[in-house]
Amino acid sequence: MTETTAIRKLDTMQQELRKPGYTFDYRDFNLQPQQTRIIDATDLIYFVSDEVDDNIVVRSETGVYDRTTTNNAESIHHHTGRITLENHSLTAAQYVVFYVGIWH
């Protein structure tokens, strides 16, 4: 997902959820080989950027973003609540970039 698409999605979600506003920010994570990391995204929405490596799996109450397999019917680009990042690489740390919407 591009930054422009994430902002458009936030605009739409703000209207649908009747939130008064949001702040747009960025977060990036370095994950070691086979590392799993939990993020608390209560009242936040994370958008998976186009820069995420194919070895990264993102899971949340919204769904799963997973390019490590072709068995998924779809990959969800927006995540909220408890988010799990999994690095399925065996060799190197992966750089994971997110666009973050913070509801006001």
Side-chain angles (χ1 to χ4, degrees), residues 20-37:
Y22 66 85
T23 303
F24 190 77
D25 205 353
Y26 305 87
R27 285 201 66 188
D28 57 73
F29 302 93
N30 290 311
L31 298 175
Q32 297 303 313
Q34 302 298 303
Q35 181 182 358
T36 297
R37 183 169 182 172

Side-chain angles (χ1 to χ4, degrees), residues 27 38-46 60-61 79-83 100-101 103:
R27 285 201 66 188
I38 307 294
I39 302 167
D40 178 15
T42 305
D43 294 327
L44 304 174
I45 185 162
Y46 277 60
S60 72
E61 56 194 54
H79 297 272
T80 190
R82 184 175 186 223
I83 301 173
V100 183
W103 300 120

Side-chain angles (χ1 to χ4, degrees), residues 1-4 6 24-31 37 39 45-58 65 67 76-79 83-87 93-101:
M1 177 173 285
T2 66
E3 178 179 335
T4 302
F24 190 77
D25 205 353
Y26 305 87
R27 285 201 66 188
D28 57 73
F29 302 93
N30 290 311
L31 298 175
R37 183 169 182 172
I39 302 167
I45 185 162
Y46 277 60
F47 294 93
V48 179
S49 78
D50 290 339
E51 300 175 35
V52 171
D53 188 277
D54 288 344
N55 292 314
I56 301 297
V57 176
V58 182
Y65 177 89
R67 289 190 187 169
I76 304 299
H77 287 260
H78 63 280
H79 297 272
I83 301 173
T84 303
L85 307 177
E86 301 169 359
N87 179 1
Q94 303 297 316
Y95 188 62
V96 184
V97 178
F98 288 94
Y99 308 124
V100 183

Side-chain angles (χ1 to χ4, degrees), residues 2-20:
T2 66
E3 178 179 335
T4 302
T5 305
I7 290 171
R8 286 184 187 148
K9 181 72 174 168
L10 272 171
D11 287 340
T12 301
M13 293 176 84
Q14 176 187 359
Q15 293 172 7
E16 290 173 353
L17 299 172
R18 298 181 182 176
K19 298 286 187 177

